[in-house]
Amino acid sequence: MVFDIDMIKKVYAALPGKVEATRKMLGRPLTLAEKILYAHLYAPTTTPYERGKSYVEFAPDRVAMQDATAQMALLQFMTCGRDKVAVPSTVHCDHLIQAKVGATQDLATAIDTNKEVYDFLSSISDKYGIGFWKPGAGIIHQVVLENYAFPGGMMIGTDSHTPNAGGLGMVAIGVGGADAVDVMAGLPWELKMPKLIGVKLTGKMSGWTSAKDIILKVAGILTVKGGTGAIVEYFGEGADSFSATGKGTICNMGAEIGATCSLFAYDTKMADYLKVTGRTEVAALADEVKEHLRPDAEVYADPTKYYDQVIEINLDELEPYVNGPFTPDLAWPISKFAQAVKENNWPEKLDVALIGSCTNSSYEDISRSASLAQQAIDKQLDMKSEYTITPGSEVVRYTIERDGLLNTFDQVGGVVLANACGPCIGQWARHIDDPNRKNSIITSFNRNFAKRNDGYASTHAFVASPEIVTALAIAGDLTFNPLTDKLKNKNGEEVMLDEPVGYELPPNGFEAEDAGYQAPAEDGSGVQVIVSPTSERLQLLAPFSAWEGTDLKGLKLLIKANGKCTTDHISMAGPWLKYRGHLDNISNNMLIGAINAFNDKSDTVKNSITGEYGAVPATMRDYKAHGFGAVVVGDENYGEGSSREHAAMEPRHLGVRAILVKSFARIHETNLKKQGMLGLTFANKEDYDLIQEDDTIDIDGLTTFAPGKQLTVVLHHKDGSTNEFPVNHTYNEQQIEWFKAGGALNVIRAEAAK
Ligand code: MIC
Ligand code: SF4
């Protein structure tokens, strides 16, 4: 048993009392999110928190980290003077495995090339009492769902898709590494009390439609920023009608609408999943408190009273969706997709179709997809596009191999990749004739930002359910609609694909020879953690310097970014993942994907000292060498996507002093604050237009920096004129302390030294 049953028992023992007290305090029925949040306060409260306004201190039950973010999280944790983590925590080796040939060989290569990092993560886990999931064990969110997620629990994870665990009724939130350090150090973890969006599901899915289509539709409705600062709670008879893993898919992709997390209520589907994954005891415990693991009945009766916004979806009418390209909220029902492809001139030919990943590799997903692959065989159809399968975990992989499903994929030419992120995060050595050729791929993953999968700007990536991905792979054509269209088989006959069928859970249970877990030492005090001073991949952290106590004058404009600027644009993944433990080296990718508003180019900005155009990181290093700080200006939803705190630490390390944007994505804004950076938003969004290429910038008001009080930005233009305008911030007292100290870690360290 890898999970901590005593911790779960404690949570459930306290739950009824806490829920009752909260109901009394709020004086009304409760949503599920409220029950779980108030049951996880760091210290009890006698007054309600205001949603969307109050900062709240929480005490999550668990922490999960993946290898690409754990390095920085644990390098920070090392400096806090603790002997052991305060709550159960795990590390998962999934992001650093590159997909090239196939599972076995790729895994062996990864173990070899990443040895130094894996050794570091394994030994530091051993030392501080952290469970370690070896490379090959699977993708963090799948492994968490199989082993750790439990209804009514609360966890944080250093990955934006941590909310996947909402499929088992857990409030699971993606954070940066510095937030994980708080919880592992036993300190309160702070979050603004989320708003609540209710999604009422009526009816029941059938045929080609699957859970993925619910979230693809929701993404179309809410857009990539519509969930910002909110928990999305799904309810209604439709919600109870489908599998826990389907619920997980929906919660996983809540990250794509910026939601803090997403949540389903405890039901028999969750109990079934707990049982089949070896947690009958957890299911029994949850059953005892089940009324506290669902919203109060009154909430169902009149949801608009309890949620800030309510959306209703009728599953009887829901069509399969395909979203993309380049953004996950461009949602097309399959009946309209072919036309959209034609009108927009997206490449119709499908080059590669990829299923699996943390989003969609349940037994249900795989078995339904395999049923289509089997039809291709039976109906004499070829698989026209390349086709890959990424199992989410070794447990899934072993089980689908045992049950013959991998064999079916093999027969249609499918390539099984390692149980890892691989092509989802640019860890894909794709074979393509001409990287500049406009081409289309479709995945059952969650993100489709430009360059994300293979690094090529020419690739148009779409996301859909694994069933639709498989059907389109058979057709090799994006304009194929499996619900209505026929295909020509090898004998020249016209055939149609039947609806996919599969199993929600494996009829013969899950199994694995070695799931890939390594328990930490009982007493880790003797364990040595080695970081070589000459390493290219790991670097001990030096504290950032404290604020100088004055307003910031004469800052350079580093870049005015235009349009989408996700964390992939700020700190690209793929080939750069190897430097995730080395702040100085990874800083060489800072903002190289951002588009300069003055010339529409990436990684080409004017150095105002030399007047020459150069790469963003090199320009910033030059400013730093000359003693200048700088400002980065950005557009809407800046920092959307990943939880990677490198996107905040790199500018901090290279001497950027403020990020000034129209709006932020939640995790990134917090990451900036944690690292002692100023994250500011235009009070009037049009002021973005005032910023000129040769500006120097002052930030005034810092000596009286206070919650709710605007700061002032002064632009000094090249022609001698100036503009002055107010800017907003969301810093509370504590976060202002972080800014003054030069970062949250400096505050923790100072307190530990007392
Ligand atoms: C992603 O899906 O973008 C990642 C890679 O999993 C990131 C984490 C990272 O950048 O390491 C995330 O989602 O937080
Ligand atoms: Fe890995 Fe992709 Fe899932 Fe992120 S979204 S955890 S990169 S599989």
Side-chain angles (χ1 to χ4, degrees):
M1 190 200 304
V2 299
F3 58 94
D4 189 328
I5 193 73
D6 293 335
M7 179 265 280
I8 298 175
K9 280 185 182 157
K10 247 203 226 149
V11 172
Y12 285 164
L15 191 64
K18 288 183 174 177
V19 168
E20 188 44 41
T22 307
R23 202 180 283 118
K24 248 201 201 132
M25 180 180 57
L26 294 181
R28 59 167 174 79
L30 300 174
T31 62
L32 176 59
E34 287 167 324
K35 292 183 184 182
I36 302 176
L37 291 174
Y38 278 95
H40 285 88
L41 297 180
Y42 194 78
T45 179
T46 49
T47 46
Y49 293 106
E50 204 181 333
R51 304 207 292 241
K53 290 241 162 64
S54 318
Y55 280 98
V56 186
E57 294 188 334
F58 289 105
D61 304 315
R62 302 197 62 89
V63 173
M65 293 163 277
Q66 41 88 340
D67 50 2
T69 49
Q71 299 171 59
M72 209 45 99
L74 293 170
L75 284 164
Q76 295 177 82
F77 183 75
M78 276 174 87
T79 69
C80 302
R82 301 292 199 277
D83 299 332
K84 213 176 162 64
V85 287
V87 303
S89 303
T90 48
V91 163
H92 304 260
C93 295
D94 52 3
H95 281 62
L96 300 179
I97 301 167
Q98 194 191 41
K100 194 167 182 184
V101 215
T104 315
Q105 226 172 307
D106 294 347
L107 179 62
T109 310
I111 291 175
D112 186 38
T113 49
N114 301 314
K115 184 172 186 319
E116 181 185 10
V117 172
Y118 292 148
D119 285 349
F120 167 75
L121 290 173
S122 150
S123 60
I124 199 164
S125 297
D126 205 20
K127 182 168 185 68
Y128 293 116
I130 300 170
F132 180 72
W133 289 83
K134 297 182 251 184
I139 308 173
I140 176 169
H141 312 302
Q142 180 62 31
V143 175
V144 165
L145 199 72
E146 277 166 15
N147 295 281
Y148 299 119
F150 66 98
M154 180 178 193
M155 70 177 272
I156 61 166
T158 60
D159 190 280
S160 67
H161 293 105
T162 303
N164 191 66
L168 273 183
M170 189 172 211
V171 165
I173 301 179
V175 298
D179 286 47
V181 170
D182 290 343
V183 179
M184 292 190 294
L187 300 171
W189 172 67
E190 194 186 63
L191 178 76
K192 202 182 266 177
M193 195 60 163
K195 294 197 167 190
L196 299 177
I197 299 176
V199 180
K200 180 172 180 186
L201 302 176
T202 60
K204 198 169 187 299
M205 289 183 286
S206 61
W208 283 92
T209 308
S210 73
K212 181 68 163 275
D213 301 308
I214 299 177
I215 185 62
L216 293 176
K217 183 178 174 78
V218 169
I221 297 170
L222 286 175
T223 79
V224 289
K225 43 184 292 215
T228 308
I231 293 185
V232 183
E233 199 171 300
Y234 292 82
F235 64 95
E237 92 263 5
D240 296 339
S241 71
F242 59 90
S243 65
T245 49
K247 294 173 168 84
T249 296
I250 294 173
C251 294
N252 176 302
M253 254 198 96
E256 272 51 69
I257 54 169
T260 302
C261 70
S262 304
L263 197 55
F264 280 84
Y266 181 60
D267 62 5
T268 53
K269 299 287 188 183
M270 291 189 196
D272 291 346
Y273 186 75
L274 285 169
K275 288 176 199 157
V276 78
T277 50
R279 290 171 291 171
T280 305
E281 195 178 354
V282 179
L285 289 168
D287 281 336
E288 283 171 25
V289 292
K290 66 171 181 260
E291 80 260 35
H292 306 299
L293 300 173
R294 295 182 64 88
D296 288 339
E298 295 88 335
V299 173
Y300 290 124
D302 189 2
T304 47
K305 240 168 115 178
Y306 303 96
Y307 298 102
D308 298 286
Q309 181 183 356
V310 177
I311 294 170
E312 193 169 326
I313 296 176
N314 182 349
L315 301 183
D316 289 332
E317 293 165 2
L318 182 69
E319 266 191 77
Y321 271 75
V322 179
N323 288 19
F326 309 127
T327 183
D329 58 354
L330 197 53
W332 307 99
I334 190 95
S335 58
K336 305 248 162 60
F337 183 55
Q339 196 189 339
V341 170
K342 293 202 164 99
E343 281 174 9
N344 291 288
N345 263 323
W346 295 325
E348 289 180 29
K349 171 174 177 286
L350 178 61
D351 274 33
V352 196
L354 307 96
I355 67 161
S357 94
C358 71
T359 322
N360 269 116
S361 56
S362 64
Y363 194 84
E364 186 175 30
D365 293 331
I366 303 288
S367 58
R368 281 170 62 89
S369 303
S371 80
L372 293 167
Q374 186 60 47
Q375 284 186 51
I377 300 167
D378 298 343
K379 299 185 183 196
Q380 308 277 319
L381 290 158
D382 278 327
M383 196 47 98
K384 291 258 171 49
S385 77
E386 281 180 52
Y387 184 62
T388 71
I389 302 97
T390 297
S393 72
E394 175 57 15
V395 168
V396 166
R397 195 210 59 78
Y398 189 92
T399 307
I400 60 178
E401 178 170 53
R402 179 201 66 192
D403 295 352
L405 305 177
L406 286 186
N407 183 39
T408 309
F409 293 130
D410 191 47
Q411 288 180 52
V412 293
V415 175
V416 181
L417 301 174
N419 315 320
C421 300
C424 179
I425 190 56
Q427 289 280 55
W428 186 19
R430 183 176 167 193
H431 328 276
I432 185 167
D433 48 353
D434 170 11
N436 295 319
R437 173 172 63 83
K438 262 176 77 176
N439 71 96
S440 291
I441 65 171
I442 190 164
T443 77
S444 73
F445 311 162
N446 42 32
R447 291 203 169 125
N448 55 355
F449 305 143
K451 299 191 191 173
R452 178 175 171 93
N453 302 108
D454 56 8
Y456 304 139
S458 54
T459 297
H460 293 53
F462 297 86
V463 289
S465 68
E467 295 90 326
I468 292 295
V469 172
T470 306
L472 295 193
I474 296 170
D477 187 331
L478 279 187
T479 62
F480 173 65
N481 177 354
L483 284 75
T484 54
D485 299 350
K486 297 202 169 93
L487 292 167
K488 245 207 193 104
N489 74 5
K490 289 179 208 162
N491 311 328
E493 298 152 353
E494 294 214 312
V495 292
M496 273 192 88
L497 293 174
D498 304 320
E499 292 168 352
V501 291
Y503 298 91
E504 233 173 79
L505 296 168
N508 298 316
F510 282 115
E511 208 179 322
E513 249 158 35
D514 174 8
Y517 179 69
Q518 172 188 299
E522 269 307 317
D523 173 7
S525 56
V527 177
Q528 293 282 330
V529 178
I530 297 159
V531 175
S532 156
T534 56
S535 171
E536 278 200 337
R537 298 195 56 178
L538 294 165
Q539 183 187 39
L540 294 175
L541 289 170
F544 292 130
S545 48
W547 173 54
E548 57 270 61
T550 59
D551 285 339
L552 301 178
K553 302 284 186 191
L555 303 173
K556 301 281 185 194
L557 173 68
L558 177 61
I559 183 171
K560 176 174 169 178
N562 182 30
K564 218 174 181 51
C565 194
T566 71
T567 41
D568 282 357
H569 296 80
I570 307 172
S571 176
M572 196 189 174
W576 291 91
L577 283 174
K578 64 170 173 290
Y579 298 121
R580 284 290 185 86
H582 196 295
L583 182 55
D584 194 53
N585 283 347
I586 197 157
S587 294
N588 290 329
N589 79 357
M590 183 184 73
L591 284 158
I592 60 177
I595 301 300
N596 181 354
F598 300 110
N599 57 14
D600 286 334
K601 290 188 182 155
S602 59
D603 207 20
T604 315
V605 292
K606 187 167 179 183
N607 178 329
S608 67
I609 302 175
T610 60
E612 306 277 310
Y613 284 83
V616 185
T619 306
M620 192 60 224
R621 286 191 193 271
D622 192 45
Y623 289 158
K624 188 177 182 184
H626 287 87
F628 290 107
V631 176
V632 169
V633 173
D635 215 320
E636 296 281 5
N637 210 23
Y638 181 91
E640 157 188 357
S642 159
S643 66
R644 61 191 75 141
E645 62 195 323
H646 307 77
M649 295 179 88
E650 294 173 26
R652 181 79 174 96
H653 172 64
L654 294 185
V656 175
R657 302 303 300 271
I659 312 286
L660 170 59
V661 300
K662 291 185 188 170
S663 63
F664 280 113
R666 173 190 61 88
I667 305 178
H668 187 61
E669 184 178 21
T670 308
N671 285 343
L672 290 169
K673 291 176 177 175
K674 285 263 160 167
Q675 302 301 336
M677 177 79 92
L678 279 177
L680 307 173
T681 53
F682 292 98
N684 306 304
K685 289 185 179 172
E686 316 78 73
D687 290 341
Y688 171 90
D689 300 328
L690 296 174
I691 290 166
Q692 298 175 16
E693 192 168 25
D694 295 297
D695 286 351
T696 55
I697 302 170
D698 301 340
I699 299 173
D700 293 339
L702 290 172
T703 51
T704 54
F705 195 9
K709 190 165 172 247
Q710 289 179 323
L711 299 171
T712 303
V713 162
V714 185
L715 304 177
H716 300 272
H717 304 302
K718 200 177 175 187
D719 64 5
S721 64
T722 61
N723 282 113
E724 191 178 307
F725 52 82
V727 292
N728 295 334
H729 69 80
T730 59
Y731 288 69
N732 62 17
E733 297 283 359
Q734 170 73 66
Q735 294 164 345
I736 291 175
E737 281 319 301
W738 298 342
F739 166 73
K740 290 184 173 164
L745 212 51
N746 291 349
V747 176
I748 299 182
R749 269 194 291 258
E751 271 158 19
K754 270 183 203 161

